[in-house]
């Protein structure tokens, strides 16, 4: 399944930049240059036309670096975002959709469109630490468990029990038997704020809860199998037809769709990637006894990068925050055969960057190598789940989930082990692989386990406890049309709310403006139990009759107020004509 070099610039990005070069370029100040991260090289600050607004991620100075209370930290971050949007740029809440604003709940960042003059105002403010362009990267395609010591580690209690791996990718085929019943939550962050076509099932830029990370279909891109294959390597269980269990075969899965569509290309925009990392950080303690041990990102561009911490400050902030909270971010090194650098964002120093080896411990011919590679794992002809069953693929994309699964497996055996401790154990126990004069270890999970601590093979591993989950059915939205002013025959839409594995509280909301007056919801709060209760949506005829012809939309958020597991959205569309 080997393919040629990846395109590093999406068509949408190319069109925007090409259109901006025609105008006289803005000359950036030294202050702006000092705070501007160059990103992955698809954008030149010196070529930006004064009237052109492009998309950026603004990094704020951390308003609460030592805040123990998570709610207080979120409040301070929101205040900082308001200062940027309203105080510096003069934006109202109503302006945010037009300027493609994305806020982040747990990270001091905000994504938005800005022109060069606005960038200068941002750079002049002391609360703005850095600015990076919002660019896109691709799935890393170049087209095992026994070799990596995973099977031996299972006998030592390193099974992944009570741990989870979040996979940021093209989504997963949620019905695949390799994942039943592993998936504990899902999310989608797509569209790059509107510069590309979202692949979220609800057609919005954000979706969480059941069904949110369903894979994009093969008709969209041949790469849509990617997230399903990667997830199976990390945590798959019970595979057949020649497949084998994943590295952490008792671990749970949190799939997150981060890709967007631009023509025939798939790309993951950094603003969406950071939103996914922000979401993982926000829900990390929301699954009862199950904890997220690692994030896997088998994505990147096709450029050889050395350390890129200052080039991608927003991504660096997100990775550092997760690491401080006990979650490793594992990233593929890339498949270009570079000998002096790796793909972005694997070039970030605090990520765990993974190169690929053959099953005979030779360096895979496609693997990027260099000082930024932390670990190696097998990445050639790896059998795992695909959209139509099971199949083989090669790439550093396949090597990285071996390492993400290793973090979950080792954390299950040694729950108190930090990211630093697990990384050190893997580095100090692996088999040395030398490439272009640089040596890094190929992981051996069983040997790493003995370094972390000695656990009896007979030790009892507690069973996985399913968290209480809000289940909203069906998964589709509702569209209703009034054909004439005399037509009052409105059909209702019924949803059910179920508390799976325990009762949960729920609310139904529709953003800051609230549920629109033209829409009736039979109940907006309550307790979801088993059996399920019905929620009925209908159109308020008295209000609808006074509306102008047009299309009216409301995104209803069904929130699990107990632990946030299963929180999801449904789009309601009312067409009056």
């Amino acid at each position: 399944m080997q393919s040629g070099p990846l395109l590093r610039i999406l068509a949408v990005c190319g069109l925007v930049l090409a259109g901006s070069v025609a105008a006289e370029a803005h000359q950036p100040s030294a202050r702006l240059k000092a705070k501007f991260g160059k990103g992955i090289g698809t954008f030149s600050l010196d070529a930006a036309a004064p009237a052109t607004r492009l998309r950026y991620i603004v990094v704020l100075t951390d308003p609460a670096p030592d805040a123990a209370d998570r709610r207080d930290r979120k409040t301070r971050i929101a205040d900082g975002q308001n200062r940027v949007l309203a105080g510096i740029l003069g934006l109202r809440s109503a302006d945010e959709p037009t300027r493609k604003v994305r806020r982040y709940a747990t990270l001091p960042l905000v994504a938005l469109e800005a022109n060069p003059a606005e960038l200068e105002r941002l750079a002049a403010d002391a609360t703005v630490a850095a600015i990076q362009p919002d660019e896109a990267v691709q799935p890393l395609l170049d087209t095992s468990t026994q070799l990596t010591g995973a099977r031996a580690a299972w006998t030592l209690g390193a099974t992944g029990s009570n741990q989870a791996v979040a996979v940021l990718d093209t989504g997963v085929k949620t019905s695949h038997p390799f994942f039943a019943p592993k998936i504990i939550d899902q999310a989608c962050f797509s569209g790059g704020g509107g510069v590309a076509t979202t692949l979220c099932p609800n057609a919005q830029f954000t979706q969480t809860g059941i069904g949110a990370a369903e894979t994009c279909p093969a008709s969209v891109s041949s790469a849509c199998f990617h997230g399903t294959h990667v997830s199976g390597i990390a945590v798959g269980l019970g595979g057949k037809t020649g497949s084998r269990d994943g590295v952490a075969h008792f671990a749970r899965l949190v799939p997150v769709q981060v890709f967007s569509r631009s023509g025939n290309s798939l790309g993951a925009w950094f603003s969406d990637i950071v939103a996914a990392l922000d979401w993982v950080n926000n829900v990390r303690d929301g699954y009862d006894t199950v904890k997220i041990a690692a994030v896997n990102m088998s994505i990147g561009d096709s450029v050889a990068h050395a350390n890129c911490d200052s080039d991608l400050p927003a991504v660096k902030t997100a990775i550092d925050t997760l690491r401080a909270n006990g979650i490793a971010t594992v990233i593929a090194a890339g498949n270009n055969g570079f000998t002096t650098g790796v793909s972005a964002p694997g070039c970030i120093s605090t990520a765990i960057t993974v190169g690929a080896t053959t099953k005979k411990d030779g360096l895979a011919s496609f693997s990027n190598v260099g000082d930024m590679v932390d670990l190696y794992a097998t990445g050639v002809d790896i059998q795992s789940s695909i959209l139509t069953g099971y199949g083989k693929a090669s790439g550093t994309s396949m090597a990285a989930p071996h390492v993400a699964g290793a973090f979950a497996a080792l954390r299950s055996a040694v729950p108190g082990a930090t990211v630093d401790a697990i990384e050190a154990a893997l580095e100090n126990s692996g088999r040395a692989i030398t490439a272009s004069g640089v040596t890094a270890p190929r992981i051996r999970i069983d040997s790493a386990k003995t370094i972390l601590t000695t656990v009896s093979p007979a030790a009892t591993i507690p069973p996985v406890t399913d968290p209480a989950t809000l289940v909203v059915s069906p998964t589709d939205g509702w569209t209703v049309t009034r054909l004439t002013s005399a037509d009052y025959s409105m059909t209702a839409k019924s949803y059910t709310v179920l508390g799976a594995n325990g009762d949960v509280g729920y609310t139904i909301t529709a953003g800051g403006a609230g549920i629109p007056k033209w829409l009736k919801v039979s109940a907006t709060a309550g307790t979801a139990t088993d059996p399920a209760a019905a929620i009925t949506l209908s159109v308020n005829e008295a209000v609808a009759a006074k509306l102008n012809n047009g299309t009216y939309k409301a995104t209803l958020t069904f929130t699990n107020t107990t632990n946030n597991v299963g929180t999801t959205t449904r789009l309601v569309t009312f067409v009056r004509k």
Side-chain angles (χ1 to χ4, degrees):
M1 301 177 71
Q2 187 164 334
S3 64
L6 295 168
L7 295 175
R8 54 179 263 229
I9 307 177
L10 288 179
V12 168
C13 186
L15 287 172
V16 171
L17 297 182
S20 66
V21 172
E24 182 179 352
H26 171 78
Q27 297 301 313
S29 67
R31 182 168 48 198
L32 176 56
K33 287 183 176 180
K35 289 190 176 183
F36 195 82
K38 69 179 183 181
I40 59 176
T42 66
F43 174 79
S44 172
L45 185 62
D46 293 314
T52 301
R53 285 197 173 106
L54 300 177
R55 190 163 167 81
Y56 305 91
I57 309 174
V58 180
V59 183
L60 309 179
T61 54
D62 197 328
D66 302 317
D69 187 287
R70 194 180 300 181
R71 287 174 297 181
D72 178 55
R73 176 172 174 76
K74 289 182 181 179
T75 298
R76 295 194 199 182
I77 287 174
D79 289 343
Q81 293 166 341
N82 290 337
R83 173 177 167 75
V84 166
L85 297 171
I88 301 177
L89 299 180
L91 299 182
R92 303 165 301 168
S93 297
D95 298 326
E96 294 189 16
T98 304
R99 297 291 290 274
K100 298 180 175 61
V101 171
R102 184 184 279 283
R103 293 171 176 258
Y104 302 90
T106 69
L107 302 173
L109 312 168
V110 61
L112 75 162
E113 287 189 339
N115 60 34
E118 291 167 330
L119 290 180
E120 294 286 0
R121 283 152 58 190
L122 289 168
D125 194 278
T127 64
V128 172
I131 304 167
Q132 78 166 71
D134 189 11
E135 301 163 288
V137 290
Q138 290 75 41
L140 286 176
L141 290 170
D142 195 82
T143 340
S144 217
T145 59
Q146 186 170 359
L147 184 62
T148 58
R151 293 188 182 187
W154 295 342
T155 67
L156 302 176
T159 63
S161 179
N162 286 335
Q163 301 297 314
V165 175
V167 176
L168 277 56
D169 214 292
T170 61
V172 299
K173 185 174 182 179
T174 57
S175 62
H176 200 291
F178 220 22
F179 306 129
K182 285 182 163 287
I183 299 174
I184 58 172
D185 206 354
Q186 303 177 46
C188 177
F189 303 91
S190 181
V195 297
T197 301
T198 179
L199 291 176
C200 292
N202 67 355
Q204 305 297 302
F205 298 143
T206 300
Q207 184 176 351
T208 58
I210 294 174
E214 189 61 49
T215 182
C216 56
S219 59
V220 170
S221 170
S222 60
C224 284
F225 84 97
H226 193 262
T228 298
H229 196 275
V230 166
S231 298
I233 296 169
V235 302
L237 176 65
K240 299 179 181 178
T241 64
S243 68
R244 289 179 168 84
D245 287 359
V247 172
H249 64 167
F250 287 170
R252 297 306 186 94
L253 175 64
V254 181
V256 187
Q257 158 69 274
V258 294
F259 279 86
S260 308
R261 181 178 184 177
S262 294
N264 295 323
S265 299
L266 289 184
W269 294 84
F270 283 128
S271 58
D272 291 329
I273 293 170
V274 171
L277 296 173
D278 177 52
W279 178 80
V280 169
N281 187 55
N282 197 26
V283 302
R284 68 182 189 274
D285 296 327
Y287 307 116
D288 295 336
T289 61
V290 179
K291 305 296 181 184
I292 298 175
V295 170
N296 189 90
M297 296 200 299
S298 292
I299 56 182
D301 66 349
S302 56
V303 177
H305 299 272
N307 182 300
C308 63
D309 290 356
S310 61
D311 298 332
L312 300 173
V315 186
K316 165 75 168 163
T317 297
I319 290 174
D320 288 354
T321 300
L322 287 173
R323 189 170 183 128
N325 289 324
I327 301 174
T329 302
V330 180
I331 306 179
N335 304 325
N336 310 96
F338 296 139
T339 59
T340 57
V342 299
S343 299
C347 48
I348 291 176
S349 62
T350 43
I352 313 295
T353 304
V354 183
T357 58
T358 68
K359 293 178 181 177
K360 294 184 178 181
D361 273 338
L363 180 71
S365 61
F366 51 77
S367 182
N368 293 344
V369 299
D371 290 339
M372 298 307 296
V373 173
D374 298 298
L375 297 166
Y376 285 100
T378 50
V380 177
D381 291 336
I382 304 300
Q383 178 93 343
S384 184
S385 42
I386 59 175
L387 302 185
T388 55
Y390 298 90
K392 293 182 179 180
S394 299
T396 54
S397 279
M398 286 69 237
H402 282 87
V403 175
F407 269 84
L410 293 168
R411 181 70 61 71
S412 72
V414 190
T418 63
V419 173
D420 288 349
I422 295 174
E423 181 181 11
L426 289 168
E427 290 175 344
N428 293 328
S429 63
R431 180 168 183 171
I433 303 293
T434 300
S436 299
V438 179
T439 299
R442 192 266 294 155
I443 62 169
R444 294 191 296 186
I445 304 170
D446 53 336
S447 300
K449 165 64 179 59
T450 63
I451 288 180
L452 282 173
T453 187
T454 301
V455 176
S456 169
T460 299
I461 304 299
V464 174
T465 301
D466 289 315
T469 303
L470 176 65
V471 180
V472 180
S473 298
T475 60
D476 61 324
W478 181 41
T479 298
V480 61
T481 302
R482 172 189 291 280
L483 297 178
T484 69
S485 59
D487 180 10
Y488 287 89
S489 58
M490 292 295 183
T491 57
K493 177 73 171 182
S494 182
Y495 290 99
T496 61
V497 290
L498 169 72
N501 307 312
D503 297 350
V504 295
Y506 73 88
T507 59
I508 303 174
T509 57
I515 296 173
K517 293 182 179 180
W518 53 263
L519 178 63
K520 291 182 179 180
V521 181
S522 62
T524 57
T527 300
T529 62
D530 191 356
I535 303 293
T536 301
L537 308 185
S538 60
V539 173
N540 185 327
E541 292 290 350
V543 175
K546 299 177 182 179
L547 294 175
N548 295 325
N549 290 349
T551 300
Y552 301 84
K553 295 184 178 182
T555 299
L556 296 184
T557 300
F558 293 73
T559 302
N560 178 340
T561 58
T562 300
N563 59 21
N564 203 44
V565 180
T567 294
T568 186
T569 59
R570 298 292 184 270
L571 177 64
V572 179
T573 303
F574 172 52
V575 181
R576 189 180 191 281
K577 59 183 182 179

